Amino acid sequence: MTTPRTDAPAAPDSPAASASPPETGRFRPRQLAGLLRPRTVEEVVGHVRAAARAAEDSPDGGGSAPVPLHPVSTGRNWGLGSALPVRDGAAVLDLSGLDRIREIDTLRGYAVVEPGVTQDLLAQRLTGTDRVLNLTGASRHTSIIGNILERGVGLHRTRAEDLAGLELVLADGQRVRTGWWPAPGGPAVVQPHGSGPSLNHLFTQASWAAVTAAVVRLRPRPRTVTVLPLTFPADRLNGAVDVLREWTAGHLVPATTKIYDPVAARTYGVRDRYLAHLALTGDPEVTDALTRIVGDRVRTPGSPFEHASPGAADADVHAAYAGRPDPADTLFRRKTGGCCARCLDRERGLLMFLPLVPFRGTAAAEAAGLVRDATADCTAGVTMNVLDADTVDHVVTIGFTPDDPDAARRAHRALDRLHTAFAARGWLPYRSDVDHPLPPHTALHRRLRDALDPHGVFARGRFEGPQPPPAP
Ligand SMILES: Cc1cc2nc3c(=O)[nH]c(=O)nc-3n(C[C@H](O)[C@H](O)[C@H](O)COP(=O)(O)OP(=O)(O)OC[C@H]3O[C@@H](n4cnc5c(N)ncnc54)[C@H](O)[C@@H]3O)c2cc1C
């Protein structure tokens, strides 16, 4: 975030209200009512209480218009709006200043982290231990909590599965915890659901509280990591995806395969073909045996696959799957044409569309056709993340020149077409951007939201349906 700091949310019509800073999607700039940067949980509580008092005294009660809070962790939700709120008039509550790793327990396999703790910070602290963090393919300088709250996708499992407990500041300023929390050094086994109704995921993809810490599960460090790069031609997509599905269902490969279309595959030096990264982890005897079996199947007559050169899954790729730190963000910079986490919002134009598609060859081929039609007048690449034997998350990335308004308009029209085409097919995105909020909450969601935040202390987010039209 680069907006000037303010110490309190300004009224929306005050001089301190400002347009949002550049973000990589070039969405409609939002009017921000201020930027708050607390450094402690107590300061977060203070800001939430102040917003709650203002909301209770809102016009209905005779006071000035309230300023809802939009909490972010590192605000690097690239392609979906970065740190932008959905609606005008919110104050961004930037929690990156809460950046302590409060605890690491390698025996029981968890860390307690605050919102400003980045993937790389924790990966560094785990060096030399027998535990690793489930990294994502985004910059190492993104927040662990921010991505968990998006229910993002890690290299080994979805980030939702890494979550064991949350510490929250509710809309009335109360501090509470959900899920499982450790007694330091205690014997209790990590149990994300706690006991009774499971509450953690009431607060992911929600905007009902500010998260000030989380218990994050750590994976055992694998003794070996082997990423096999296989390629196949575009006209074999259907058959290749069916074979990968069969291998996944049969546990020959874990449900973590990434399939890059010929545009996305260029990052790894592959031209004009699809590339699949098959990540095998475990004891060397296991990864060796699986590598041999996959090799035999690749050589089977009629197989769509060829082995790519080792450079298509090089040391940087292996380091990411192995959870090793990379403060220089080498792999991320390769994906962004050399751009670092700090400059991406200013220097690159990038939109993302993230639908869930069945793990079937015919579906993959159909999805590729929908993407081709929708993005015919711009540049788009697709990465498919296998989530399980039935589901593949498609990451469609549209790149454009950020200072060319025509290119930005074309990219946004393509994004609109993607939303329309995939919705018509029934393949909905699992997360969305500030201009395409996901379908409205159910009645039960609304009851819970109204119970937790009756006065709208927190800004309504991307998971609460489109903004209602302004009152006449
Ligand atoms: C090249 C590239 C590769 C990428 N690869 C991946 C990938 O592999 N997997 C993946 O999932 N994404 C990926 N992304 C997308 C994105 O950059 C990440 O998901 C990133 O982790 C999100 O930004 P953040 O961590 O700063 O979260 P933030 O932007 O801080 O948070 C995201 C949202 O969560 C909510 N929130 C955040 N913090 C709080 C809080 N403390 N309290 C309450 N609500 C909060 C807000 O609604 C906020 O908008 C990639 C992007 C790029 C450009």
Side-chain angles (χ1 to χ4, degrees):
M1 287 289 303
T2 50
T3 318
R5 177 179 178 146
T6 59
D7 290 319
D13 58 351
S14 91
S18 60
S20 44
E23 53 73 39
T24 194
R26 299 299 185 265
F27 291 99
R28 175 183 69 77
R30 269 55 173 178
Q31 286 297 321
L32 296 185
L35 172 66
L36 302 161
R37 283 183 166 151
R39 299 195 69 84
T40 63
V41 178
E42 290 69 31
E43 286 177 25
V44 178
V45 171
H47 288 308
V48 173
R49 290 218 166 114
R53 277 195 300 275
E56 280 168 26
D57 296 342
S58 67
D60 299 328
S64 59
V67 174
L69 302 175
H70 172 59
V72 298
S73 289
T74 44
R76 291 177 168 153
N77 208 14
W78 293 304
L80 303 179
S82 297
L84 281 190
V86 172
R87 301 184 192 178
D88 293 307
V92 174
L93 184 63
D94 174 356
L95 298 174
S96 60
L98 278 71
D99 58 0
R100 279 190 316 133
I101 298 174
R102 293 189 192 168
E103 190 189 343
I104 293 178
D105 186 326
T106 54
L107 193 64
R108 289 189 283 171
Y110 67 82
V112 181
V113 298
E114 295 185 346
V117 174
T118 61
Q119 309 200 79
D120 207 65
L121 213 56
L122 186 54
Q124 285 182 39
R125 285 282 299 277
L126 292 170
T127 303
T129 73
D130 59 0
R131 293 284 176 173
V132 287
L133 174 67
N134 172 31
L135 294 169
T136 70
S139 161
R140 297 300 180 87
H141 304 297
T142 52
S143 161
I144 299 165
I145 286 184
N147 187 266
I148 285 177
L149 295 178
E150 283 287 291
R151 301 208 285 263
V153 172
L155 293 172
H156 294 283
R157 59 189 178 199
T158 65
R159 274 293 182 75
E161 294 170 68
D162 294 334
L163 176 61
L166 289 174
E167 177 187 273
L168 308 154
V169 178
L170 297 176
D172 59 3
Q174 200 190 346
R175 283 170 73 169
V176 297
R177 286 175 171 177
T178 62
W180 183 88
W181 277 80
V189 173
V190 180
Q191 216 281 67
H193 299 298
S195 53
S198 182
L199 297 179
N200 283 337
H201 290 285
L202 268 186
F203 297 95
T204 59
Q205 295 202 347
S207 38
W208 301 348
V211 174
T212 49
V215 185
V216 177
R217 304 193 74 176
L218 304 172
R219 302 177 69 246
R221 188 178 291 278
R223 287 182 59 207
T224 50
V225 173
T226 303
V227 183
L228 298 177
L230 304 182
T231 67
F232 56 90
D235 61 3
R236 305 286 307 270
L237 175 64
N238 189 330
V241 167
D242 278 338
V243 171
L244 289 172
R245 199 258 165 198
E246 195 183 298
W247 292 357
T248 308
H251 299 288
L252 180 57
V253 296
T256 58
T257 298
K258 284 182 182 284
I259 307 167
Y260 303 94
D261 82 348
V263 174
R266 288 183 208 151
T267 296
Y268 305 96
V270 171
R271 299 269 148 196
D272 304 325
R273 288 171 73 85
Y274 277 78
L275 168 70
H277 278 163
L278 278 53
L280 309 175
T281 59
D283 284 1
E285 298 83 350
V286 175
T287 52
D288 284 353
L290 291 174
T291 302
R292 266 198 311 279
I293 300 170
V294 170
D296 289 345
R297 302 232 178 148
V298 167
R299 283 186 294 276
T300 306
S303 158
F305 298 110
E306 277 177 20
H307 285 286
S309 74
D314 61 10
D316 295 336
V317 173
H318 279 78
Y321 282 92
R324 286 199 284 275
D326 175 17
D329 238 356
T330 324
L331 193 55
F332 178 74
R333 283 173 183 247
R334 277 165 56 183
K335 295 178 191 176
T336 60
C339 220
C340 70
R342 266 196 309 278
C343 62
L344 196 80
D345 276 314
R346 259 194 333 271
E347 295 180 12
R348 292 287 183 274
L350 184 154
L351 291 167
M352 281 196 190
F353 176 64
L354 302 146
L356 294 178
V357 173
F359 194 177
R360 282 197 306 271
T362 48
E366 194 182 341
L370 295 179
V371 173
R372 215 172 22 248
D373 292 347
T375 61
D377 58 355
C378 47
T379 310
V382 183
T383 301
M384 292 166 245
N385 299 314
V386 171
L387 300 183
D388 57 38
D390 295 311
T391 318
V392 178
D393 149 40
H394 277 47
V395 182
V396 184
T397 305
I398 306 172
F400 60 93
T401 311
D403 47 15
D404 175 350
D406 279 343
R409 261 193 297 278
R410 274 198 305 279
H412 278 265
R413 278 200 299 266
L415 180 64
D416 290 341
R417 286 194 293 268
L418 285 168
H419 275 275
T420 306
F422 278 76
R425 187 63 187 81
W427 295 337
L428 299 177
Y430 82 95
R431 54 199 264 220
S432 191
D433 61 73
V434 286
D435 279 355
H436 298 91
L438 290 178
H441 280 350
T442 63
L444 178 57
H445 282 120
R446 282 195 295 275
R447 272 175 73 179
L448 290 167
R449 181 198 65 195
D450 293 346
L452 286 165
D453 185 9
H455 303 295
V457 167
F458 293 105
R460 300 304 183 215
R462 283 166 290 124
F463 303 97
E464 298 194 37
Q467 185 172 358

